Amino acid sequence: MQEETRAYQELRVGFTAAVSHELRTPLARLLALLDSASLPGADRDALLAQAREEVEEMSELVDDVLFLSELESGREVVALGSTSALPVLEEVRDRLADSAERADVTIRVEAGPDVELPLRRRMLQIVVENLAENSIRYAGPGATLTLSARPHLLEAADDGRGLEPDELSRVFERFYRSDRARASRGTGLGLAIVKHVVVAAGGEVEATGGPGHGFTVRCRFRSAPGSASSGRP
Ligand SMILES: Nc1ncnc2c1ncn2[C@@H]1O[C@H](COP(=O)(O)OP(=O)(O)OP(=O)(O)O)[C@@H](O)[C@H]1O
Ligand SMILES: [Mg+2]
């Protein structure tokens, strides 16, 4: 028990260090931008636009960290209730349609009208949105993402670039990003949040795929109240 407490405390200390580290980079860039803006002849409009992006990136990080800590303290009740999957999948597809089009990624939705998953609606939205945003960001042009739901199962599968096996095994870690992903915006918290939400709802997550063979995240739930049982375990 003491062992567990110590491990948990180490985890928390590591987390705080990682958050500080993540904030340092955009803060340093912001400072550099402000320095540049004070030079004579500076293109202030362009520098301000970049500064705004840095601030937005920091805000996203802070939002994600706050959300994770709310989940951990149990203030965000994840599992109470169940949600009809199809409308949420369609809503996320429609909301992300523009950015999917810009990235040349097609989003398909496959779910029966009766499928329910044992999560509150907002939690299901957060999970699906994170998974879809990732495929838009990382799958590459021409890829197709299929969001599907069956009783006890939510799946996001793209046929894009995928990841090496050693990268795949780390995607649910907080702040983990593949080398390739570092060129794009993001903090590496999305899939940690997905895992936290699904586990809090009594489910489990798994990531599969391979380089050039796409990326799939499968969320299995032990029970799907209210749904017509398919006889799956
Ligand atoms: N669909 C995908 N295809 C290829 N790689 C992916 C895919 N989804 C996630 N990854 C890899 O997993 C890493 C972790 O994803 P995660 O969503 O946790 O963080 P992020 O997208 O980098 O940042 P954030 O979600 O916090 O904005 C990504 O940086 C990327 O390297
Ligand atoms: Mg992400």
Side-chain angles (χ1 to χ4, degrees):
M1 186 62 203
Q2 240 180 359
E3 187 87 339
E4 258 176 45
T5 315
R6 202 172 317 125
Y8 182 67
Q9 263 157 8
E10 270 167 29
L11 194 79
R12 299 218 53 120
V13 171
F15 186 54
T16 315
V19 172
S20 316
H21 175 83
E22 287 295 320
L23 280 172
R24 224 184 226 151
T25 311
L27 272 174
R29 284 195 298 243
L30 184 60
L31 205 57
L33 287 165
L34 293 176
D35 283 345
S36 309
S38 60
L39 295 175
D43 181 352
R44 295 231 166 92
D45 286 347
L47 290 166
L48 277 178
Q50 287 174 44
R52 165 173 278 278
E53 272 185 35
E54 299 298 342
V55 173
E56 280 170 1
E57 187 171 322
M58 285 186 274
S59 308
E60 276 173 28
L61 171 65
V62 171
D63 285 349
D64 283 352
V65 168
L66 279 177
F67 180 64
L68 261 178
S69 84
E70 279 174 13
L71 282 179
E72 281 173 343
S73 68
R75 253 177 295 158
E76 280 283 356
V77 185
V78 174
L80 280 183
S82 80
T83 302
S84 176
L86 183 61
V88 174
L89 300 188
E90 287 176 338
E91 196 183 291
V92 171
R93 177 197 59 197
D94 296 345
R95 187 147 21 95
L96 296 179
D98 286 348
S99 62
E101 199 181 322
R102 278 195 296 276
D104 190 17
V105 171
T106 306
I107 304 182
R108 295 173 44 210
V109 165
E110 279 176 6
D114 301 329
V115 178
E116 301 226 346
L117 293 170
L119 286 171
R120 275 176 45 207
R121 187 180 170 94
R122 188 166 106 77
M123 297 295 148
L124 183 59
Q125 274 169 349
I126 284 166
V127 167
V128 177
E129 208 169 81
N130 268 295
L131 296 173
E133 276 172 356
N134 278 351
S135 293
I136 291 170
R137 238 187 247 165
Y138 309 116
T144 297
L145 163 69
T146 305
L147 297 171
S148 60
R150 278 181 279 156
H152 310 283
L153 186 72
L154 171 71
E155 190 177 278
D158 73 46
D159 57 0
R161 285 194 194 108
L163 288 168
E164 299 289 339
D166 60 319
E167 298 173 319
L168 203 58
S169 64
R170 303 193 55 195
V171 288
F172 294 110
E173 288 174 23
R174 289 167 177 180
F175 301 112
Y176 177 75
R177 309 194 74 210
S178 69
D179 287 340
R180 180 177 198 130
R182 281 168 205 282
S184 67
R185 188 161 148 177
T187 46
L189 282 176
L191 289 177
I193 289 174
V194 166
K195 180 174 178 180
H196 212 102
V197 168
V198 172
V199 169
E204 52 192 41
V205 290
E206 176 195 32
T208 54
H213 296 289
F215 182 84
T216 295
V217 171
R218 220 166 269 132
C219 310
R220 282 176 218 280
F221 298 91
R222 272 198 289 272
S223 62
S227 69
S229 172
S230 68
R232 291 168 63 89

